[in-house]
Each structure stands twice: as C-alpha cells, then as structure tokens.
Amino acid sequence: MSIIGHLIDGEVFVEGTRSQDVFNPSTGAVSKSVDLASQVTVENAIASAEQAFPAWRDTPPIKRARIMFKFKALLEEKAEYICQLIGEEHGKISHDAAGELQRGIENVEFACGIPELLKGEYSKNVGPNIDSWSEFQPLGVVTGITPFNFPAMVPMWMFPLAIACGNTFILKPSERDPSSTLYIAQLLQEAGLPKGVLNVVNGDKEAVDTLLSDDRIKAVSFVGSTPIAEYIYKTASANGKRCQALGGAKNHAIVMPDADMDNTVNQLLGAAFGSSGERCMALSVAVAVGDAAADTLVEKLKSAMTSLKVGAFCDSKNDFGPVITREHEQKVVGYINSAEENGARVVVDGRNPNVEGYQAGFFVGATLLDNVTADMDSYKAEIFGPVLQIVRAQSMEEAMALINDHEYGNGTCIFTRDGEAARYFSDRIQVGMVGINVPLPVPVAYHSFGGWKRSLFGDLHAYGPDGVRFYTKRKTITQRWPSAGVREGVSFSMPTMK
C-alpha cells in the first residue's frame, strides 16, 4: 500500500512514525495511507520556507508570473489524472472534479497577472518637491489549511496568489484526500518554482497547532467548519498572525410565486446535490413563499429527483457520488431521521440507497424534506450532504427574516422574475454572496469569496483583490531631495499643505 508523504524543500519525505488510512468512498475500502507530520517535520518545512523567502521576495514579479503560466499549462495537461485522484479519494464524479479543477486553474490565471496587481500608487508633489508612493510587499512565510471537499480548488485559492505576491507557503491539506493536492504542488515544482517556496505537510491537529504557534508564520488562511474556523482565528490572532478563516454555511434560496418553476427546479437540483452537497455553497434550504408555490415546487422536485443517479466516481453518467466517510454518512442520515421525528415530511428518501456493485460505499441518495421549521436541528446545522429542505413562508419578508436570523451568512439566492423584488432582496439580505436566479453565486477568480456572520472570521475575503491585500503589507514612502546648498529652517508644526 502506498504512503502519501510531505513535500519539504522540493523533496517528498515520509516520516514514518504515525499514519492514517485514506479510503476510497465509492468502495469503502482503504486505498492508501497518509503520513502524519510531527512537530519536528512541520518545523523543518517552516525552516525551508524561511530560508527560501529572501531570494523569492527579490525575484521580479514577472519571473514569478512566468512560473505560474507554466504551472497553468501543466495543470491543463495533467487534468485527467488529477481528476482521477480526486475521485478515488473524495468520491467526486469526474465531470464535477473537472469543474473543481477548472475553478482552481482560474485562480492561477489571476495570479499570472501579479505584475499588474502589485503596482503601487504614486503621487508627485504632495508637498513642495515632495513625492509619495505606496508599494505592496510580501509578508514572509504564510500557511494555508484546507478542507477535504475541494482538494484541488481551495488550495489554489491560496498558494498561487500568495507565492506570486512573493511569500513562501506551507500547505496543510486535508488528510482524508491528500493525493491530488500533493501532486499539484509537485507540478508547481516542475514549472520551475525554487525549492522551499512551497512546502506541503500532511497531518492532524499536531501539525495545525504547530503552524498556528510558530512565530515564523506571518499569516494563516483556513477553510472548514465554523467551530474549527473560530479556533483557528482566535489562536492565530492571539499569536500575532494575520488570519482569514472561512467557516460553515446554511445557504437558502427564496422561491417567489412568480419564479419560473421548471428552471428553478433544475437549478436547485444541481445546487443541492452536486458534490453530494459537500460544498460550503450548496443550497440546502429552499424557502417557498406561499403554499401554492411550495406545493408546486415540491411536486416538481419529487418528479425530477426520480432520475438522479448516485454512484461511483468513475461513471460519468452518475450525478453525484458518495460522501467522504462512513461516519459522515451516518451523520447525514441522522439529520434526516431527526427531521422526520420532529415533523418534517420525507418526500424523497435517500437513506440506504442500493448502488449496484458498490454496496460498501459511503452513499446517501438525494433526499427531499418538506415542512421543515427553523427550530429543527436539521435546519440549524450544516448537514453537508445531499439533503434539500423545504421551508414554507407566507411572505418575502418572512423568508428574508429566516435567512437574516441564521448564524451563517455565506451564500443565498432568490428565484423571481420581479426586478424590484430582486433588488430589494440583494440590498437587504445579510449574506456575503448573493445570487439572482443564480443558485451558486461563487465569485469568479478576479472577485473575492467570503461570507458574513459566522461564515467568516477576519476582515478580508479569499482570493481575488482581497487575496492580494491579505498576502501583502502596504508600505508608504515619502521622499524629498533638498536643493544643494540650501539650508532649511526648523519646524515644530505638523506639516500640512495649507
């Protein structure tokens, strides 16, 4: 059985003291093991990054960009193999894995523009013969801690831009599906990245806490659940580090009575059940305004869901695959059971699906729950599974209040043909990413991604313009060259232009 190691100073390394099984979620079988880094191994990775930083910081941005261009080409060349690695360890269907990878590549494309993105601001004659400018300098050694659900995309939200800005990077991916992440990092080495600029350490809490406490780490990026995001943010901040920690979500869609119901159903199916619902932008709640709209929506969803196929990653005819672990399968089923016990109606039951040839896999079928209420555990929690819940509201204001009152504020959308209602919704909803007839309003790479409330800890969103600001620090320089031979008097007043 192969062992997945760490990438430190340009070399793959296996420590060999502790390891963890890596499963194929489609079969339920152990496929590999991953080496778990000790504190010493993580510190070695940090030392490698620290040693590489001065030379990389002084590398002209255009040369950094050229490496990113080569990296992009390699990602496209090796796309099929990367998607296979994702499918084998995450369970994501090949077409979904390809979409994830493409989204990651788009962030590399954004990083390729770093010479333009790092251009500072210049003002001449801010005072008599005085010029002033700002420039953006890298922080030093920074780190990213990423989740299992997007092993290719989320790391590429972080390290390409951080490295292009002149930082060196320690990546701690999920230990549940680490192969594609490690392989992608090796492709960046192949593209010409100097040793030590990007290091990958696989590990658990020991590795994370080492990164959070080491003074050499200047900034931490995180994506994961809200309890861990809050822990990461508080710990990193207490240790004097800049931190952005993206947490959980409970994304609602409001379905207005005037919505195109057939189009709405198609959009909800993909947004709720794509990636088995294991997305922080998954639409897990549809709030139907008016019982007539709710009844129509439920019947159309019930009919459409009969054709959905759950199965192994290797069959592209499947719509979505297994969830990540047996424990998570049981957790998702537990939320369905809880909702039913508390009065919700199970319209489409995805518990215990029969996936021929893969009976031992971690599968949950597409599930539709009606008459869900805000006091139910299934409504409050981020289920992170293929479960769509219908909540009934009698007005748009009631529907919006549900969203605004929820602890999460990651993504939301409204389905309507009424421009006035759409504008009212987008202006007043307390959520960071909003869609109008767009169920997954994930910003493109040249915008920035992030929620509100307990979906984000920190001031700056991920990737895009906010990413550049997060991975750099502003320096403002004011200069004056007095004329030769001219002696200036002493002034004790604050300089002004009055």
Side-chain angles (χ1 to χ4, degrees):
M1 183 181 298
S2 61
I3 302 175
I4 305 160
H6 323 280
L7 180 66
I8 298 177
D9 203 32
E11 303 295 333
V12 175
F13 164 78
V14 174
E15 182 180 331
T17 46
R18 293 188 304 135
S19 65
Q20 178 175 310
D21 289 338
V22 175
F23 289 84
N24 181 331
S26 295
T27 65
V30 176
S31 59
K32 303 172 187 174
S33 66
V34 59
D35 196 61
L36 299 178
S38 67
Q39 179 177 337
V40 171
T41 293
V42 178
E43 288 174 346
N44 288 340
I46 298 171
S48 174
E50 185 181 41
Q51 184 176 6
F53 173 64
W56 184 244
R57 173 195 59 203
D58 294 338
T59 299
I62 189 65
K63 290 188 176 182
R64 299 184 212 141
R66 287 171 184 159
I67 292 172
M68 290 297 160
F69 277 111
K70 293 177 182 176
F71 179 44
K72 172 185 178 291
L74 286 171
L75 289 168
E76 291 170 338
E77 179 185 335
K78 304 295 185 181
E80 185 175 349
Y81 180 62
I82 294 170
C83 292
Q84 178 185 333
L85 291 175
I86 294 171
E88 288 173 348
E89 295 180 0
H90 177 276
K92 194 170 293 187
I93 308 300
S94 55
H95 51 74
D96 194 11
E100 170 187 348
L101 179 59
Q102 178 57 35
R103 275 288 185 149
I105 289 172
E106 288 167 8
N107 283 274
V108 177
E109 290 173 335
F110 181 74
C112 288
I114 201 64
E116 174 68 22
L117 297 171
L118 289 182
K119 283 169 62 175
E121 304 157 341
Y122 188 91
S123 296
K124 188 174 182 179
N125 287 330
V126 296
N129 298 315
I130 299 176
D131 304 327
S132 185
W133 70 90
S134 295
E135 55 189 50
F136 301 98
Q137 298 186 349
L139 305 177
V141 182
V142 299
T143 191
I145 302 164
T146 57
F148 73 84
N149 58 327
F150 287 100
M153 183 185 74
V154 172
M156 286 194 281
W157 283 3
M158 300 175 186
F159 71 79
L161 189 55
I163 287 170
C165 286
N167 301 284
T168 54
F169 202 93
I170 312 290
L171 176 62
K172 208 302 285 182
S174 172
E175 63 276 20
R176 293 175 179 172
D177 50 3
S179 290
S180 62
T181 314
L182 181 62
Y183 180 73
I184 287 169
Q186 291 174 291
L187 289 182
L188 186 49
Q189 297 285 145
E190 187 177 334
L193 191 72
K195 293 181 178 182
V197 175
L198 173 62
N199 300 273
V200 180
V201 290
N202 288 299
D204 50 15
K205 191 174 186 296
E206 181 176 348
V208 170
D209 286 342
T210 302
L211 292 167
L212 295 178
S213 62
D214 196 295
D215 291 340
R216 294 168 291 182
I217 299 290
K218 304 303 179 186
V220 179
S221 298
F222 173 82
V223 176
S225 68
T226 286
I228 305 302
E230 187 170 26
Y231 170 78
I232 295 284
Y233 182 76
K234 288 181 177 179
T235 306
S237 299
N239 286 315
K241 305 180 192 310
R242 184 179 291 185
C243 186
Q244 55 179 189
L246 283 70
K250 193 71 176 183
N251 305 316
H252 299 63
I254 292 181
V255 180
M256 297 295 289
D258 69 333
D260 180 335
M261 283 296 179
D262 290 328
N263 182 61
T264 297
V265 166
N266 287 339
Q267 297 297 312
L268 285 174
L269 291 177
F273 305 123
S275 293
S276 302
E278 292 177 322
R279 295 170 173 160
C280 67
M281 290 296 285
L283 269 179
S284 56
V285 178
V287 186
V289 177
D291 285 332
D295 290 342
T296 301
L297 179 65
V298 169
E299 285 308 307
K300 286 182 175 290
L301 281 168
K302 179 182 178 181
S303 176
M305 288 171 64
T306 59
S307 64
L308 293 182
K309 292 183 65 179
V310 57
F313 76 93
C314 52
D315 185 350
S316 61
K317 294 179 183 178
N318 291 325
D319 295 299
F320 61 95
V323 296
I324 189 67
T325 63
R326 179 72 67 201
E327 292 76 16
H328 191 60
E329 175 197 343
Q330 294 168 350
K331 180 179 178 181
V332 173
V333 170
Y335 279 120
I336 299 171
N337 294 340
S338 171
E340 184 177 32
E341 291 165 3
N342 284 282
R345 180 168 71 98
V346 181
V347 180
V348 180
D349 194 341
R351 291 170 290 192
N352 303 312
N354 180 26
V355 182
E356 188 174 350
Y358 295 92
Q359 282 79 6
F362 310 144
F363 292 100
V364 180
T367 299
L368 179 63
L369 303 175
D370 191 13
N371 300 118
V372 173
T373 56
D375 60 340
M376 294 181 183
D377 289 341
S378 66
Y379 173 81
K380 296 175 186 177
E382 182 180 30
I383 297 178
F384 227 57
V387 180
L388 176 60
Q389 301 177 89
I390 306 297
V391 176
R392 295 170 180 247
Q394 298 309 308
S395 67
M396 182 177 176
E397 287 74 15
E398 181 186 344
M400 289 177 62
L402 282 168
I403 300 171
N404 287 338
D405 289 345
H406 204 282
E407 66 172 321
Y408 297 131
N410 205 50
T412 188
C413 80
I414 186 171
F415 290 101
T416 183
R417 300 185 190 202
D418 187 334
E420 181 182 4
R423 190 170 190 213
Y424 182 87
F425 174 79
S426 61
D427 282 349
R428 289 168 174 77
I429 205 70
Q430 299 299 305
V431 175
M433 292 172 284
V434 179
I436 310 298
N437 299 312
V438 176
L440 294 174
V442 180
V444 293
Y446 43 89
H447 285 270
S448 295
F449 179 105
W452 288 8
K453 297 185 281 191
R454 287 178 58 78
S455 292
L456 173 69
F457 298 88
D459 296 325
L460 291 170
H461 290 193
Y463 66 76
D466 270 19
V468 176
R469 294 296 176 262
F470 182 78
Y471 291 121
T472 60
K473 51 190 174 185
R474 179 189 294 264
K475 179 181 286 185
T476 303
I477 301 161
T478 304
Q479 78 172 12
R480 180 183 183 192
W481 297 101
S483 300
V486 176
R487 185 176 180 84
E488 299 178 347
V490 177
S491 174
F492 294 98
S493 302
M494 176 65 70
T496 70
M497 282 300 295
K498 184 176 180 180

